[in-house]
């Protein structure tokens, strides 16, 4: 608090794109993270918490041609001029941690991590520049058994946090199959390959016919704008369409279709074989196509994936901001990235993992009414006589010793109405009142605020009389009576 | 992952002053935070999580004469040139949050917050630039009942996390008493007042005689260096010494001594009266001087405190790095700060709160052996035949369905010794083995790794034979046998 006397008052505002989380928003997230950590732990993953700050070179975002490496990250210079930045995900820090501590860590290293990450991006509605991720990764396991395990764990996790079977689907694909398709098309132009990948990513939106158009001459989109196509001939486009439409409920059929789509490509065959193994491993553990399926339309944006990729989607419908029905969509994704640790050590270290978008998953659970129910406010002991604060605090101490959530009103006690308004704002179930008369008689008044609110809403005068919502009990029965009212409303 | 091919390899290192936390370091902290949140919740406090990033003007660290506001904080410029910074504590953000959302928040607003904070300071041994705080504050309550409540809650919290009564002491003082003493000394020179405050802060180290010297001409310290004194006469120094030495076990005696020390100072009398009320309120709730005492030697560094200040100290002795006994010291502190919200709104809003130094408290609990016991590693299912991975993953799935922590070995299975070494590194209690012979016979081998390690350490050959640490059981009894071994070692 430096001398601020002459300065104008600071604005009480979060920086653009940041926000505060209150009460249940915080505790519900904490509970969900705790549940997820429990599943990860059971699968043998160990906790890791790396710092929020990394060197820019470790994050790998440094672009030599710009003075300031702020492409997507929040970065600044330390006193010795080295650049530091806030982590933008939990994967880049894991690669750094593994490279730094590899001599002390078990191999394979299964770790989970949860915490905020920061993105220096344009904020938008529902898009914040700080948000939570919750990741699990296995470093040093080249076998696709590791990928299958991550998919199984993801399914277990979703069910454990409250998404029932049938409301989610984990879709698995393999970058190698995609590469095989591109190889078999004879595409050697990088720009054209990228354009094909972007088109594949649009399959869910535009469907088979749309993809055909986009791979060929182009397409008129819904807004009437013309989207240039990739410029392939129909024959050239065919393998992509065959690939995209190879998905079936039965993994065996999907795999046969994929084999046809990749032609003689070696890398493609490797990819299909890996998907086949994953399907077998999951079937052996009882994860059927109602939970995890092979789906060739999954691409995953990140460039660093080298093999299997997966995505968890919530399949139930919600209403979007315009009142239209749509599927809730993706809440988690991941895949195999075998080159991230190599950046540091020069040695390839296979790795695979998943990242759960915690805030989106919370939104989904709230949407379904699975969390966000009533939060129990504290019992409020009101202050009728400010000189007897010690008495009131002793009452609160008694209530707490009985395990109840309770507090004494600490604002200005002069206006009793304000005290009840406060109790209302806190969603207090019960208020305790002890004025001078009660003190003399050795009693307290106990007000059932939940019943009181209900009566105030819709009771006739007779009902009101029949259901008193305030009770006078001897002082030594205060805790028991409060407990009784709380039990009643459970 | 931009093009990095030509660039030298990045260093796999945290930035200077930052560190990673592994396994139990993470989970033990999470458990402790959870326990603390439970106590805060019971006292009626609601959770708040503000973002890690604040505007520099909201943090209040901006110094107009420097180009870059990096005094103690990590700061950078956003694209619109406004300065942002990582929060350095949880109190400054609370003042901003309260000012921003005051129309929606209850009054008084009791909130707790926990999370990392960042300091741009020179790191040292055990001093990191990112660390956890865990705060509870009451905003909008001017009554010292709020301060007393915070002290009581702090005592409850320490006991709840595992510091037994007798091993901690909460010391309470009041800045107003201190101001009263300075007033009664007639000190109007700011520099001299500051020098007196710094001297008071040394009382614990140098004792009464040392303080007398430091207030007067100066003092030869242990290293032989001469420390200049404040330059007061003996008569001038007397009130300070009287104040510092007024602490007694009985609050009433301490208060009487303090009254004598402040002479006719009005603010001093106000401070003593507040301490008296706090002592009464705490006594009424049963918090005696074995838990919370009035202690005039508590100063608390921060300039923004305006009334009661408090500090929680662990009183048991530990050995320092040089093997000397010393008290563990402070793990939490706080006090009343009535001017922080006013920075934003112009209106005074009284507030009081406490901050627990989570990492120090964890260190204390580890020191006392109260946490950091054995962490249960996962049951490891070994891979004898890599083509039967599906079988092994099915075994693991069975173990997990029984609620056990289990995993299949995912490294290269060729060398069986490496698999057992891995199990050892993970502190696995049990390994499960199913080779071709076992498969044919319908059995599995179950290895008790804890007993095995014990035997390997100190058993004679006879004992070794009498206590086999490996069992052959039918495949369908695998889970039961593993469970039996785990129960045995509980």
């Amino acid at each position: 608090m430096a001398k601020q006397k002459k300065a104008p008052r600071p604005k009480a505002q979060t920086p653009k794109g940041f926000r505060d989380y209150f009460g249940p928003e915080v505790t519900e997230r904490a509970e969900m993270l705790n549940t997820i950590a429990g599943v990860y732990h059971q699968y043998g993953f160990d906790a890791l918490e790396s710092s929020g700050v990394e060197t820019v070179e470790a994050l790998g975002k440094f672009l030599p041609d710009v003075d300031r490496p702020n492409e997507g990250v929040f970065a600044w210079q330390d006193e010795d001029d080295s650049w530091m930045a806030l982590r933008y995900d939990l994967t880049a820090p894991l690669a750094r941690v593994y490279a730094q501590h590899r001599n002390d860590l078990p191999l394979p290293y299964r770790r989970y991590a949860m915490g905020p990450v920061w993105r220096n991006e344009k904020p938008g509605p529902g898009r914040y520049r700080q948000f939570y991720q919750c990741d699990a990764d296995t470093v040093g396991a080249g076998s696709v058994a590791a990928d299958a395990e991550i998919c199984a764990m993801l399914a277990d996790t979703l069910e454990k946090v409250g998404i029932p079977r049938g409301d989610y689907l984990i879709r698995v694909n393999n970058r190698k199959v995609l590469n095989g398709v591109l190889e078999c098309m004879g595409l050697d132009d990088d720009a054209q390959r990228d354009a094909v990948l972007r088109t594949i990513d649009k399959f869910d939106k535009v469907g088979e016919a749309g993809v055909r158009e986009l791979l060929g001459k182009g397409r008129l989109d819904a807004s009437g704008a013309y989207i240039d196509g990739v410029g392939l001939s129909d024959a050239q486009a065919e393998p992509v369409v065959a690939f995209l439409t190879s998905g079936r409920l039965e993994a065996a059929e999907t795999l046969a279709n994929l084999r046809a789509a990749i032609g003689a490509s070696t890398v493609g065959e490797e990819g299909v074989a890996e998907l086949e193994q994953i399907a077998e491993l999951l079937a052996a553990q009882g994860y059927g196509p109602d939970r995890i399926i092979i789906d060739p339309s999954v691409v995953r944006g990140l460039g660093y994936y080298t093999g299997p990729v997966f995505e968890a989607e919530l399949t139930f419908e919600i209403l979007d901001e315009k009142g239209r029905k749509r599927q809730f969509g993706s809440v988690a994704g991941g895949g195999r990235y075998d080159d991230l640790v190599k950046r540091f050590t020069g040695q390839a270290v296979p790795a695979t993992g998943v990242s759960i978008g915690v805030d989106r998953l919370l939104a989904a659970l709230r949407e379904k009414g699975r969390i966000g129910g009533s939060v129990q406010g504290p019992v409020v002991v009101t202050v009728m006589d400010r000189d007897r604060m010690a008495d009131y605090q002793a009452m609160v101490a008694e209530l707490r010793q009985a395990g109840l959530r309770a507090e004494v009103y600490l604002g200005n006690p002069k206006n009793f109405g304000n005290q009840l308004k406060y109790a209302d704002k806190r969603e207090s179930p019960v208020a305790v009142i002890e004025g001078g008369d009660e003190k003399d008689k050795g009693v307290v008044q106990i007000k059932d605020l939940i019943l009181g609110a209900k009566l105030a809403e819709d009771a006739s005068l007779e009902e009101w009389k029949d259901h008193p919502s305030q009770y006078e009990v001897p002082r030594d029965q205060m805790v028991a009576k409060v407990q009784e009212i709380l039990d009643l409303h459970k």
Side-chain angles (χ1 to χ4, degrees), chain A:
Chain A
M1 304 295 95
K3 282 132 200 150
Q4 291 269 354
K5 278 167 198 159
K6 298 282 159 81
R9 277 186 212 145
K11 277 200 209 87
Q13 259 171 14
T14 43
K16 220 174 18 172
F18 292 88
R19 57 163 291 197
D20 303 311
Y21 296 83
F22 293 91
E25 291 177 323
V26 180
T27 50
E28 283 163 9
R29 179 162 58 203
E31 272 163 38
M32 198 179 80
L33 291 175
N34 200 30
T35 303
I36 298 176
V39 180
Y40 289 175
H41 175 83
Q42 215 194 357
Y43 268 79
F45 288 71
D46 277 345
L48 167 68
E49 185 167 331
S50 62
S51 74
V53 179
E54 294 276 347
T55 66
V56 162
E57 76 170 302
L59 287 183
K61 281 282 185 180
F62 192 83
L63 303 170
D65 53 324
V66 290
D67 179 42
R68 192 181 164 155
N70 60 354
E71 301 287 322
V73 304
F74 292 108
W76 65 90
Q77 272 178 300
D78 201 3
E79 266 143 44
D80 62 2
D81 287 344
S82 61
W83 282 94
M84 308 162 90
L86 289 175
R87 64 183 180 198
Y88 59 85
D89 73 2
L90 300 173
T91 311
L94 170 63
R96 193 270 304 154
V97 167
Y98 186 78
Q100 182 174 349
H101 301 282
R102 63 191 183 279
N103 294 331
D104 302 318
L105 291 171
L107 181 74
Y109 176 49
R110 281 175 169 92
R111 85 91 180 78
Y112 70 84
M114 33 190 63
V117 301
W118 293 266
R119 300 267 169 96
N120 192 356
E121 290 171 346
K122 220 178 137 78
R127 267 172 72 95
Y128 296 98
R129 297 163 96 187
Q130 171 175 331
F131 54 93
Y132 267 78
Q133 288 193 335
C134 177
D135 288 21
D137 296 80
T138 303
V139 179
S143 156
V144 292
D147 303 279
E149 177 178 86
I150 296 271
C151 291
M153 183 167 74
L154 184 51
D156 287 7
T157 303
L158 292 175
E159 293 186 17
K160 197 85 177 184
V161 300
I163 307 285
R165 212 168 291 182
D167 268 0
Y168 70 90
L169 202 54
I170 295 163
R171 301 151 68 211
V172 185
N173 194 10
N174 193 318
R175 276 288 167 87
K176 290 179 185 171
V177 181
L178 207 56
N179 291 339
V181 171
L182 296 174
E183 195 180 300
C184 123
M185 290 166 70
L187 272 194
D188 37 22
D189 177 35
D190 268 0
Q192 235 177 2
R193 288 173 71 114
D194 285 353
V196 171
L197 286 177
R198 277 197 303 275
T199 306
I200 291 175
D201 217 12
K202 288 183 189 146
F203 176 66
D204 277 354
K205 269 192 202 142
V206 302
E208 184 182 333
V211 163
R212 275 189 201 277
E213 287 174 343
L214 286 172
L215 288 173
K217 287 186 189 135
R219 180 172 188 266
L220 215 60
D221 81 359
S223 72
Y226 193 82
I227 313 292
D228 282 338
V230 183
L232 304 182
S233 69
D234 284 357
Q236 272 183 307
E238 201 46 46
V240 178
V241 176
F243 164 76
L244 275 175
T245 56
S246 35
R248 299 291 179 274
L249 197 59
E250 285 306 317
E253 290 177 45
T254 307
L255 294 165
N257 290 341
L258 286 177
R259 281 220 163 79
I262 52 156
S265 161
T266 316
V267 64
E269 173 51 35
E270 208 175 297
V272 176
E274 286 180 4
L275 283 178
E276 192 162 30
Q277 276 181 66
I278 290 176
E280 274 171 25
L281 289 168
L282 290 170
Q285 292 170 77
Y287 294 87
D290 56 330
R291 288 194 274 176
I292 308 179
I293 56 162
I294 308 292
D295 183 339
S297 69
V298 175
V299 176
R300 305 285 310 149
L302 282 171
Y304 60 59
Y305 290 123
T306 55
V309 287
F310 24 87
E311 200 160 81
E313 205 175 284
L314 302 190
T315 52
F316 56 80
E317 286 182 332
I318 54 158
L319 297 179
D320 69 10
E321 57 281 10
K322 289 181 183 162
R324 291 171 304 207
K325 277 188 183 176
R326 62 165 187 84
Q327 290 208 337
F328 190 89
S330 173
V331 291
R336 176 165 286 278
Y337 52 96
D338 283 352
D339 298 326
L340 277 194
V341 177
K342 194 179 181 181
R343 282 184 62 234
F344 295 100
T345 62
Q347 277 183 303
V349 177
T352 184
V354 68
S355 181
I356 296 181
V358 176
D359 295 307
R360 271 188 67 73
L361 188 51
L362 276 170
L365 290 165
R366 285 195 191 108
E367 188 74 43
K368 295 286 272 183
R370 301 245 167 70
I371 53 173
S374 64
V375 175
Q376 185 85 293
V379 172
V380 170
V381 173
T382 57
V383 174
M384 303 300 285
D385 176 355
R386 72 170 75 207
D387 292 335
R388 289 203 297 108
M389 183 55 94
D391 288 353
Y392 301 126
Q393 284 206 332
M395 287 160 84
V396 166
E398 261 177 62
L399 290 163
R400 287 178 190 143
Q401 270 148 31
L404 305 178
R405 186 179 195 210
E407 57 169 65
V408 68
Y409 180 73
L410 283 178
N412 186 339
K414 215 167 58 181
N415 181 331
F416 186 67
N418 280 348
Q419 300 198 43
L420 288 185
K421 265 186 220 153
Y422 171 82
D424 189 47
K425 187 142 204 173
R426 294 299 309 279
E427 303 183 60
S428 304
V430 171
V432 179
I433 304 162
E434 188 197 53
D437 290 351
E438 283 89 7
K439 176 78 178 168
D440 292 342
K441 283 164 63 186
V443 299
V444 291
Q445 302 288 340
I446 295 180
K447 233 177 144 60
D448 180 338
L449 297 174
I450 296 174
L451 180 60
K454 241 185 254 164
L455 291 174
E457 231 168 61
D458 54 32
S460 67
L461 191 61
E462 282 67 41
E463 286 173 315
W464 188 282
K465 277 184 186 157
D466 286 350
H467 295 279
S469 63
Q470 183 164 327
Y471 312 91
E472 185 176 296
V473 299
R475 169 69 180 81
D476 61 6
Q477 285 171 36
M478 172 188 70
V479 172
K481 185 69 194 175
V482 170
Q483 184 73 69
E484 185 192 314
I485 294 174
L486 292 177
D487 288 345
L488 204 71
H489 293 302
K490 244 180 205 154

